[in-house]
Amino acid sequence: MSSEKSAAGDTRGRFAPASGGSPFAARAAILRAEIERHNHAYYVLDAPTIPDAEYDKLFRELVELEQAHPELAVPDSPTQRVGGAPLAEFGQMQHRVPMLSLNNAFSAEEAAAFDRRCRDGLGLDEIAYAVEPKFDGLAITLIYEDGVFVQGATRGDGFTGEDVTANLRTVKSIPLRLAADAPCRLEVRGEVLMYRAEFEKLNRRQRERGEKEFANPRNAAAGSLRQLDSKITARRPLRFFAYGVADVAAVTPAPIFHAEMMDRLAAWGFPVAAERDVVRGAAGLADYYARIGAARPGLPYDIDGVVYKVNRLADQDRLGFVSRAPRFAIAHKFPAEEALTTVEAIEVQVGRTGALTPVARLVPVFVGGVTVTNATLHNEDEVRRKDVRIGDTVIVRRAGDVIPEVVAIVPERRPIMAPEFHMPKKCPVCGSAVERPEDEAIARCSGGLFCPAQRKQALLHFASRRAMDIEGLGEKLVEQLVDNAIVKTPADLYKLGLLALANLERMAAKSAANILAAIEKSRATTLARFIYALGIRNVGEATARDLARHFGGLDALLAADESALQHVPDVGPVVAASIARFCAEPHNVEVIEQLRAAGVHWPEGVPAAAVTSAIAGKTFVLTGTLPTLTREAAKELIEARGGKVAGSVSKKTDYVIAGAEAGSKLDKAQQVGVTILDEAQFLELIDS
């Protein structure tokens, strides 16, 4: 974002009229200039300057201003065209059918209003809609003649795009030749994007080479597709998904429904969204929005909403278009995942392993569906790389349940003399020396359990739901237990009495009794949970399960050296060294023995080398609600017998376990022919 944007924002509602003009005309002129500047940065330079939500606010204000004052809707307004101008370096391609963008809905009420307009326009009581995720990538068009790919272009300004045929040929998911029954001439519209995991790998390579990193997968996809050297594009992990055709009339036999057209595209070899569906009425739209919103974190690619299209193509023709968008379709956007705010302070938190993490304290901002007041800055190197300082205006991102982070600063808004951040040389909690090994990015407090912050975080981790699951043992209570020297190690939790708890602030006798009951219940656990609860550095849930499965018992794990540890799947030298150091520390061994003496126990298993199981090496997917097993319990049963649990169905899936209200995963399993089990069949299989 720029200083011009700041000025525009400051004058809203109190703009002084320019000489000879109205305040509305002056405001419209400012908005048009600002939007065009951001369009140029986004579409031409591949360097977005503000979050989508901020851009949407500017654009919607201009739309509303022009609607209220039609005389302001000049031909060169951004509302009268789509996207940005083509790059001069590329050849230009005229779109035979314009590539128009969609109007947006930002609330359930606006989506319902879209349904009402469609029903009124068609004179129908209920409408069927084709629905699909809204990909967050770069829109393109692909032209095929006699089944062969001959030309492709970006959207450009909607009427003229950049000819990027050579680069598109390098995208492996774009078919170069179609099935024999494809039309003689076909123009396919779709999106080029990059999977999140591949985006992270690309940025890692960029860092290693000392080259510029990309802000997000969409930015990376756009920058990769618009390389003048197609060899560079070929090295980038781009993917393509089709979402329609430019001219349905060219397709024979003529399809009746949009969903039917999508099925044909899939049959001709084009990737299409597996999550697409057909729903009825406003209630169906709302249900789909909720379903995709819940599935969004598990998708391999970024989406920023869902798209609703009237399914019957003849009805689409009847509804037609407005100046820049179809009346028969709309994009229902998710809450913005990026927003602008200001850094009020940079504080340093101390974690359970002693890691010092800089945290930005922010002016509260609503992003990703919640109000955010803090954002992680990760480590000192990241603060340096992004050059974040107190007083900076920053772009904050929050995706799903991911911890909010500062993506970038807005340099032109920096206050004068903003101080640089420096990591403290002493722990801000206990005063111990801060150390940073040469080969690590993380600075750490050297105080160990002497440091109350590490003690508190270690206890919270030990009691967390996926570890020992001690319900009610939250941050406030742990702070009191540590600050009053009642608890120093996790083993001390099992020595607590009712009187000690009841005497703490805000702790009634009943609450104390409930916590003691939760502690008592936690004595019976699993080996994997216990290993995870110990808080060994670099050992997460998955590694804890692998260790429990491999060694079968805790004594075997404690006796293993680094070489033996590296025989565990996915345990390399770094993780093995962390485990070995932990197990060699007398204090840690003493705490483990105290926990065992306190009655913490688990079923000892058989080492993985000795396990024979009907499901060893098999991949399972869970969907719906099972009659008696929680999803976590079913997952533990599978993993204890050498199986794996995946989040999505593919051809590599061996079994899908389906319960009540199973969703799209069950449909996908039926499509690809995966074996489907109910709970009883699953239990019979694992006991065989």
Side-chain angles (χ1 to χ4, degrees):
M1 186 188 296
S2 69
S3 55
E4 289 95 329
K5 169 64 175 63
S6 176
D10 290 342
T11 57
R12 182 175 301 178
R14 53 183 176 84
F15 188 85
S19 176
S22 74
F24 304 113
R27 178 62 184 162
I30 288 176
L31 287 170
R32 284 195 290 270
E34 186 69 13
I35 290 169
E36 283 296 335
R37 193 174 67 77
H38 292 310
N39 278 345
H40 181 77
Y42 181 98
Y43 292 102
V44 178
L45 303 180
D46 292 326
T49 51
I50 59 172
D52 287 354
E54 293 293 322
Y55 180 92
D56 289 337
K57 287 178 186 176
L58 292 172
F59 198 96
R60 294 190 83 185
E61 184 186 353
L62 182 58
V63 169
E64 290 166 3
L65 196 58
E66 291 180 352
Q67 288 175 344
H69 304 277
E71 72 276 11
L72 300 179
V74 293
D76 62 347
S77 172
T79 63
Q80 305 302 308
R81 67 184 183 89
V82 182
L87 287 176
E89 291 89 341
F90 288 106
Q92 297 185 9
M93 187 186 104
Q94 293 284 126
H95 298 307
R96 292 176 59 179
V97 178
M99 291 186 71
L100 301 180
S101 60
L102 300 176
N103 284 327
N104 294 323
F106 294 92
S107 67
E109 292 75 18
E110 290 181 344
F114 162 72
D115 171 64
R116 184 169 60 253
R117 290 194 299 271
C118 290
R119 286 188 285 108
D120 291 345
L122 297 172
L124 297 174
D125 293 330
E126 188 179 64
I127 294 175
Y129 295 96
V131 291
E132 60 198 23
K134 184 179 181 298
F135 298 111
D136 198 9
L138 182 72
I140 62 164
T141 189
L142 307 173
I143 297 174
Y144 291 79
E145 293 180 355
D146 296 324
V148 177
F149 173 56
V150 295
Q151 194 173 23
T154 64
R155 173 184 284 155
D157 64 3
F159 300 93
T160 302
E162 302 153 359
D163 188 331
V164 288
T165 306
N167 290 346
L168 288 171
R169 289 184 186 279
T170 72
V171 180
K172 294 181 174 61
S173 53
I174 293 177
L176 298 180
R177 181 180 293 274
L178 305 182
D181 61 341
C184 294
R185 192 181 195 282
L186 179 69
E187 186 168 349
V188 178
R189 300 281 164 85
E191 202 95 357
V192 167
L193 49 82
M194 191 176 291
Y195 279 12
R196 283 191 291 263
E198 293 166 340
F199 164 74
E200 295 296 338
K201 291 179 183 177
L202 173 62
N203 259 356
R204 190 157 55 245
R205 288 198 300 271
Q206 295 289 103
R207 277 197 300 274
E208 290 168 354
R209 295 169 182 164
E211 298 176 3
K212 174 188 171 184
E213 292 183 51
F214 294 98
N216 50 52
R218 176 187 58 196
N219 183 230
S224 300
L225 188 62
R226 300 164 80 188
Q227 293 287 330
L228 295 177
D229 184 354
S230 60
K231 292 179 182 178
I232 297 176
T233 306
R235 294 196 294 268
R236 303 280 173 82
L238 297 177
R239 297 170 183 266
F240 170 75
F241 283 89
Y243 56 65
V245 297
D247 185 7
V248 177
V251 180
T252 54
I256 298 174
F257 302 106
H258 175 80
E260 179 187 353
M261 187 69 254
M262 294 300 295
D263 290 340
R264 291 198 199 178
L265 286 173
W268 291 332
F270 292 99
V272 295
E275 296 78 17
R276 70 191 191 284
D277 202 350
V278 176
V279 302
R280 301 194 69 85
L285 298 180
D287 175 70
Y288 184 75
Y289 181 84
R291 275 195 283 138
I292 296 300
R296 185 184 186 189
L299 295 176
Y301 44 74
D302 282 348
I303 61 173
D304 58 359
V306 293
V307 176
Y308 309 141
K309 299 176 184 175
V310 172
N311 193 30
R312 185 177 289 274
L313 298 175
D315 289 344
Q316 290 187 6
D317 291 338
R318 289 174 61 192
L319 289 169
F321 297 81
V322 291
S323 60
R324 61 178 296 273
R327 289 191 177 94
F328 56 79
I330 199 167
H332 190 174
K333 302 289 280 289
F334 290 130
E337 292 191 316
E338 290 185 354
L340 288 173
T341 187
T342 304
V343 178
E344 293 187 311
I346 298 177
E347 298 178 1
V348 175
Q349 291 183 341
V350 184
R352 63 180 175 84
T353 63
L356 270 61
T357 303
V359 176
R361 304 299 184 196
L362 309 170
V363 173
V365 61
F366 193 74
V367 56
V370 301
T371 298
V372 171
T373 57
N374 304 315
T376 181
L377 294 169
H378 298 292
N379 56 57
E380 187 176 16
D381 289 348
E382 278 293 283
V383 180
R384 290 275 176 276
R385 186 177 68 81
K386 295 173 181 174
D387 192 22
V388 181
R389 305 186 187 185
I390 297 170
D392 274 345
T393 297
V394 293
I395 299 174
V396 178
R397 179 175 176 81
R398 179 185 181 274
D401 293 328
V402 176
I403 297 170
E405 68 171 341
V406 171
V407 176
I409 66 167
V410 183
E412 56 266 39
R413 287 196 175 188
R414 169 167 288 166
I416 298 172
M417 303 295 289
E420 288 188 31
F421 169 80
H422 294 283
M423 186 66 76
K425 297 187 182 301
K426 293 187 179 296
C427 173
V429 176
C430 72
S432 297
V434 170
E435 301 172 347
R436 180 178 170 182
E438 290 185 8
D439 59 342
E440 294 188 15
I442 305 296
R444 298 181 186 278
C445 166
S446 60
L449 284 179
F450 168 75
C451 177
Q454 294 184 59
R455 196 178 303 157
K456 291 173 184 176
Q457 293 301 317
L459 289 168
L460 284 169
H461 174 77
F462 183 85
S464 63
R465 185 170 62 85
R466 297 187 180 277
M468 299 302 287
D469 193 19
I470 304 176
E471 189 174 351
L473 195 66
E475 188 171 348
K476 298 293 185 185
L477 178 55
V478 166
E479 282 185 1
Q480 291 190 71
L481 292 172
V482 172
D483 291 345
N484 290 298
I486 298 171
V487 170
K488 293 184 178 179
T489 74
D492 292 338
L493 293 172
Y494 296 92
K495 303 171 187 175
L496 285 173
L498 184 63
L499 185 61
L501 283 175
N503 284 335
L504 297 175
E505 288 183 27
R506 302 187 189 91
M507 183 60 63
K510 184 177 180 181
S511 299
N514 288 339
I515 289 170
L516 289 177
I519 292 173
E520 181 64 31
K521 181 181 175 183
S522 74
R523 293 181 200 269
T525 186
T526 66
L527 179 57
R529 280 178 173 270
F530 183 78
I531 294 170
Y532 176 60
L534 292 175
I536 305 170
R537 191 177 165 204
N538 297 318
V539 174
E541 287 180 79
T543 302
R545 286 193 294 269
D546 290 340
L547 291 167
R549 189 182 307 126
H550 182 85
F551 290 104
L554 185 63
D555 291 332
L557 170 61
L558 294 173
D561 59 17
E562 290 187 37
S563 175
L565 287 164
Q566 289 186 55
H567 286 95
V568 180
D570 299 324
V571 172
V574 174
V575 178
S578 292
I579 299 168
R581 279 197 300 269
F582 182 92
C583 295
E585 173 60 52
H587 170 81
N588 294 330
V589 176
E590 181 183 345
V591 171
I592 290 171
E593 292 309 315
Q594 289 176 359
L595 286 166
R596 281 171 148 176
V600 177
H601 63 281
W602 51 84
E604 292 285 326
V606 179
V611 169
T612 56
S613 165
I615 67 169
K618 303 293 185 183
T619 299
F620 289 74
V621 171
L622 300 164
T623 182
T625 304
L626 300 178
T628 64
L629 292 172
T630 65
R631 187 165 295 198
E632 190 66 27
K635 184 178 179 181
E636 287 185 2
L637 285 172
I638 292 166
E639 292 176 340
R641 289 159 176 78
K644 298 179 181 179
V645 177
S648 59
V649 177
S650 69
K651 292 180 180 179
K652 295 181 180 179
T653 306
D654 296 293
Y655 299 100
V656 167
I657 305 170
E661 300 181 7
S664 59
K665 293 176 184 177
L666 177 60
D667 298 333
K668 181 68 178 292
Q670 292 168 336
Q671 290 174 13
V672 299
V674 174
T675 302
I676 299 167
L677 306 174
D678 59 21
E679 182 183 289
Q681 292 168 324
F682 164 61
L683 293 173
E684 183 180 345
L685 173 66
I686 65 173
D687 288 338
S688 63

